[in-house]
Amino acid sequence: MTDRRGPDADFEEVLRYLKESRGFDFTGYKRSSLMRRVRHRMAQIGIDDDIDYIDHLQVNADEFNALFNTILINVTGFFRDAEAWDHLRDEVVPTLLAERGPDDPVRVWSAGCASGEEAYSLAMVLAEALGPDRFRRRVKIYATDVDDEALAHARQAVYHDRELQGVPADLVTRYFEPQDGRHAFRKDLRRSVIFGRNDLVQDAPISRIDLLVCRNTLMYFNQETQAKILGRFHFALLPRGVLFLGKAEMLLSHSRIFDPIDLKRRIFRKVVGGSEGPAHLVTQALVQDRRFDVGGLDQLREHAFSAGPVAQVVVTGDDVLALANRQAETMFGLSAKDIGRPLRDLELSYRPVELRGHVEQSRAERRAVRIKEIEWVRPPGESLWLEIHLNPLIAADNTVLGVSIVFHDVTAARRLLDDLEYANRQLESAYEELQSTNEELETTNEELQSTVEELETTNEELQSTNEELETMNEELQSTNDELQNINDTLRERTGELDQVNEFLESILTSLRAGVVVLDLEMRVIAWNRGAEELWGLRRDEAENEHLLNLDIGLPVADLRPVVRQALADASFLAEVKVAAVNRKGREVVVRVVCSSLRSNAVRSNGAILVMEQQA
Ligand SMILES: C[S@@+](CC[C@H](N)C(=O)[O-])C[C@H]1O[C@@H](n2cnc3c(N)ncnc32)[C@H](O)[C@@H]1O
């Protein structure tokens, strides 16, 4: 039995199951849209409970694919957001190529390439800039996605008319070849585009990239995962490498590793981390300026130093605290007693930051050192943010007199920056949310469209079935009419036959002589009134009986030879006289004429016996 918990915990359980059973980690995706997509899939198959859905995933091998297709939104297009692509073509790519030698490789990565339109758009832009020959020699476009189905489509490089809507007509002519009513990307250039599966969350990045295009993909991940992926992109790019994002992806909160080239079009350049810049600060303050003779200068200097608005201390070349201004005394609890003490004996040497290493560095390297973003948590839990500047104090004879240490309180600026970053993040994620919802809507719209198309197809099928039924109906109707005609004809014929029968019957009845008709088996098929009167046997008693079985006063066995001949020979006719006993019991002589019953001249169908009592 699975235990039932809260809805969110159950949803996490679904994600955990997918990770463990399929190795796919959705936990870094934005929950709101991820949940919407999973729920959408569940609704499609009529499941509303997450745990039931896990059961369903366990027993239906194909369900993962269906879920995957629902979650991964593959909306894409050639030159999607045309304005940004125009800028890439007109400004970014020419600069990028100009910064490289004429034979240098150009390595491009389309990350989250979906069905390949983005990768082939890049191929067209670069082929236009370099010409096809140099493109083939220099360019490699790595196009990756996590969706194998989308990659399979991309590898085919074949697109419908409507998918090429974003491609200018002259590019369609130059870069696509007709193939079975569709358009295939030119094979010679296609070879420079390499497709592969790469999960941005889990897999290692491709390296030494000049241009990294990752559009409308980052926005599906939460902040933490975005930061992780951007770290990998930073690693993937060469120095001065360019990152091209989607229009909803602003990257404001990662400004330390990427500089915007064009924020509006979301084009950034990699920031290369390095030293703090050359140090050449020679502190003139301690150099005796002999041009003016100002009285009491030492005292003046001391007061000026002491009154400085920023906390400052000076340590000598031997690491002894030489000076501390008022701000420093207040901030670090120093007093006149501490002047002359070794720095290492003071709390200041290790709080708020380990200072001695930096002092030593500044002195040894004779350069300014800046320690950024030091957080100092002071009782009762209040945070102070400091930026510490260390400057070597170098005398005219080039000896190092000591090091000046200035503690700038940047708490207010830091708070502002935090607030700004927070606001930026909010803005970014609201914008991304909007864009991803938009793409979801596009997908839903496409789904609706295909449902409408299915309904239209079903409708057309029904219509044609209907037409077939109508045709069949018409055929049945005409068959029916024909049958009716046949029936009428039959009825007419039956009427005629009835008349003929009646006519024959009346002939037979009107004959005074007894008439008996036999079939080929010698069974009685007609027995007229004359026969009834002669032998006292009713018609219904005689018909269907064998001649030889008739119990009448006629010695029927004597007639057998002539009857046989009449049955065998169609032209047979004979007359015999036989002694018999009639119905009244009187002995009489009966004249019997036996002839064959003919249907044609060749065959006999039976025999006719005409019997008359002799006077
Ligand atoms: C909306 S499409 C963007 C396609 C194209 N870049 C564009 O802008 O037209 C997002 C793509 O990101 C892919 N994707 C989602 N999660 C991914 C991941 N973890 N690793 C790589 N690609 C992923 C999806 O499969 C989908 O093809």
Side-chain angles (χ1 to χ4, degrees):
M1 235 342 251
T2 334
D3 67 328
R4 306 266 152 178
R5 285 156 306 168
D8 283 0
D10 286 350
F11 186 73
E12 297 306 314
E13 197 58 27
V14 174
L15 300 188
R16 199 185 57 75
Y17 174 73
L18 293 173
K19 190 172 171 185
E20 280 174 7
S21 67
R22 300 300 184 130
F24 202 89
D25 186 1
F26 284 113
T27 53
Y29 288 64
K30 278 189 189 143
R31 279 296 182 284
S32 51
S33 94
L34 182 66
M35 261 193 178
R36 260 201 312 276
R37 303 304 298 161
V38 176
R39 299 272 186 269
H40 177 65
R41 173 63 199 157
M42 286 166 61
Q44 280 178 338
I45 50 170
I47 295 182
D48 60 3
D49 180 274
D50 293 322
I51 303 300
D52 291 346
Y53 187 53
I54 295 179
D55 292 344
H56 183 78
L57 279 163
Q58 277 167 346
V59 289
N60 293 286
D62 294 341
E63 179 55 24
F64 178 74
N65 263 355
L67 175 66
F68 206 61
N69 284 337
T70 315
I71 295 178
L72 297 179
I73 296 197
N74 295 134
V75 176
T76 187
F78 286 95
F79 301 111
R80 191 168 172 205
D81 307 328
E83 205 216 331
W85 280 90
D86 287 349
H87 186 76
L88 184 85
R89 181 196 60 210
D90 298 339
E91 305 291 335
V92 179
V93 166
T95 311
L96 193 142
L97 294 176
E99 285 171 356
R100 280 147 186 85
D103 294 317
D104 283 351
V106 178
R107 291 163 62 84
V108 180
W109 181 11
S110 161
C113 65
S115 38
E117 286 86 334
E118 183 177 277
Y120 296 117
S121 301
L122 284 164
M124 286 186 269
V125 168
L126 286 159
E128 286 292 285
L130 290 167
D133 284 345
R134 271 184 296 155
F135 173 87
R136 279 189 293 266
R137 259 189 291 120
R138 293 179 60 190
V139 177
K140 284 265 172 305
I141 299 173
Y142 300 93
T144 62
D145 202 287
V146 79
D147 186 338
D148 287 318
E149 272 182 30
L151 283 172
H153 183 181
R155 284 192 183 102
Q156 283 185 347
V158 180
Y159 299 92
H160 286 284
D161 276 340
R162 69 182 140 75
E163 290 169 316
L164 286 188
Q165 266 168 11
V167 187
D170 61 319
L171 294 189
V172 175
T173 316
R174 273 183 290 132
Y175 291 98
F176 290 86
E177 287 152 4
Q179 183 179 308
D180 304 331
R182 293 187 291 162
H183 309 268
F185 191 73
R186 256 172 72 173
K187 280 210 173 54
D188 59 327
L189 306 182
R190 159 75 183 80
R191 283 187 208 108
S192 302
V193 188
I194 301 128
F195 288 97
R197 187 180 189 280
N198 179 287
D199 181 347
L200 291 171
V201 183
Q202 309 189 84
D203 297 336
I206 297 171
S207 59
R208 288 175 293 119
I209 296 298
D210 297 284
L211 172 61
L212 202 168
V213 179
C214 181
R215 313 196 72 229
N216 307 301
T217 301
L218 277 181
M219 63 190 185
Y220 291 103
F221 299 104
N222 60 30
Q223 288 293 331
E224 194 190 332
T225 311
Q226 282 192 14
K228 196 163 125 189
I229 296 173
L230 284 166
R232 290 192 178 145
F233 284 176
H234 188 265
F235 169 83
L237 282 165
L238 285 167
R240 297 191 63 74
V242 172
L243 175 65
F244 182 23
L245 298 180
K247 75 167 180 242
E249 296 152 332
M250 277 183 280
L251 218 61
L252 294 175
S253 36
H254 297 87
S255 50
R256 282 184 211 91
I257 53 172
F258 291 103
D259 265 345
I261 298 178
D262 186 324
L263 192 57
K264 186 168 163 239
R265 279 110 179 182
R266 315 294 185 242
I267 300 174
F268 303 82
R269 196 187 283 283
K270 168 173 171 164
V271 170
V272 185
S275 75
E276 302 293 334
H280 55 267
L281 294 178
V282 178
T283 309
Q284 295 296 327
L286 294 183
V287 177
Q288 199 77 19
D289 188 339
R290 302 199 181 278
R291 279 181 294 167
F292 306 101
D293 190 10
V294 182
L297 193 58
D298 282 348
Q299 204 183 357
L300 197 64
R301 209 176 271 140
E302 198 176 306
H303 279 286
F305 175 78
S306 189
V310 182
Q312 182 179 6
V313 299
V314 174
V315 293
T316 65
D318 312 329
D319 272 354
V320 170
L321 183 68
L323 297 166
N325 70 358
R326 232 172 282 136
Q327 288 287 349
E329 284 174 0
T330 316
M331 193 178 271
F332 302 114
L334 298 170
S335 69
K337 282 189 297 180
D338 295 315
I339 304 299
R341 291 179 65 191
L343 178 65
R344 67 170 179 278
D345 292 350
L346 302 171
E347 187 181 338
L348 174 65
S349 66
Y350 57 88
R351 208 189 319 268
V353 67
E354 180 55 58
L355 264 185
R356 281 175 302 167
H358 297 290
V359 172
E360 183 50 40
Q361 185 189 3
S362 174
R363 193 166 39 221
E365 295 175 13
R366 294 165 169 258
R367 66 175 186 89
V369 170
R370 185 152 62 123
I371 316 173
K372 287 205 284 188
E373 307 211 3
I374 301 302
E375 187 182 14
W376 186 17
V377 184
R378 297 193 304 182
E382 173 212 350
S383 268
L384 199 67
W385 286 88
L386 297 174
E387 185 168 304
I388 307 172
H389 292 216
L390 296 96
N391 288 296
L393 304 173
I394 301 170
D397 63 0
N398 212 23
T399 55
V400 179
L401 297 172
V403 176
S404 148
I405 310 170
V406 180
F407 301 85
H408 293 276
D409 181 351
V410 292
T411 311
R414 170 75 202 204
R415 291 216 175 104
L416 267 178
L417 203 69
D418 281 351
D419 289 351
L420 189 68
E421 272 192 12
Y422 178 73
N424 274 342
R425 266 201 302 278
Q426 299 283 91
L427 192 72
E428 263 182 68
S429 75
Y431 194 33
E432 286 176 356
E433 191 82 15
L434 200 70
Q435 179 73 9
S436 61
T437 310
N438 206 14
E439 298 205 345
E440 272 182 61
L441 283 177
E442 270 186 48
T443 312
T444 313
N445 203 15
E446 274 173 24
E447 284 167 8
L448 280 177
Q449 193 88 25
S450 76
T451 312
V452 167
E453 276 168 21
E454 268 172 35
L455 282 176
E456 271 174 17
T457 317
T458 315
N459 206 11
E460 275 169 23
E461 281 170 12
L462 279 176
Q463 210 143 328
S464 86
T465 313
N466 212 10
E467 278 166 18
E468 274 171 30
L469 281 175
E470 269 175 28
T471 317
M472 272 169 70
N473 215 7
E474 277 167 18
E475 283 171 11
L476 279 176
Q477 189 71 38
S478 85
T479 314
N480 214 13
D481 289 348
E482 274 170 31
L483 280 175
Q484 192 74 37
N485 287 342
I486 294 172
N487 218 7
D488 290 348
T489 316
L490 275 177
R491 212 171 291 135
E492 260 171 45
R493 294 268 183 284
T494 311
E496 284 168 16
L497 275 176
D498 283 351
Q499 279 176 9
V500 173
N501 268 347
E502 260 174 48
F503 179 63
L504 285 175
E505 191 76 37
S506 69
I507 293 174
L508 278 178
T509 309
S510 316
L511 284 172
R512 290 181 58 85
V515 179
V516 178
V517 183
L518 301 173
D519 67 9
L520 287 171
E521 314 233 294
M522 275 197 229
R523 285 185 191 284
V524 177
I525 53 176
W527 185 265
N528 77 342
R529 172 113 46 87
E532 279 181 348
E533 280 175 6
L534 195 55
W535 305 116
L537 191 66
R538 286 199 316 274
R539 178 180 173 181
D540 60 315
E541 291 168 329
E543 275 177 2
N544 290 326
E545 288 297 324
H546 197 278
L547 174 70
L548 299 184
N549 289 341
L550 293 178
D551 185 15
I552 52 176
L554 183 73
V556 283
D558 296 349
L559 292 177
R560 193 156 140 188
V562 280
V563 171
R564 278 247 167 97
Q565 284 186 56
L567 294 180
D569 178 2
S571 58
F572 181 77
L573 177 67
E575 183 185 318
V576 287
K577 289 195 176 149
V578 285
V581 178
N582 71 7
R583 126 178 113 86
K584 295 177 184 152
R586 278 187 31 220
E587 290 191 352
V588 290
V589 173
V590 175
R591 181 170 150 259
V592 179
V593 177
C594 177
S595 66
S596 90
L597 175 68
R598 287 191 279 180
S599 62
N600 53 42
V602 188
R603 250 182 57 212
S604 163
N605 269 345
I608 303 172
L609 301 175
V610 180
M611 299 166 281
E612 261 180 321
Q613 184 179 320
Q614 299 288 284

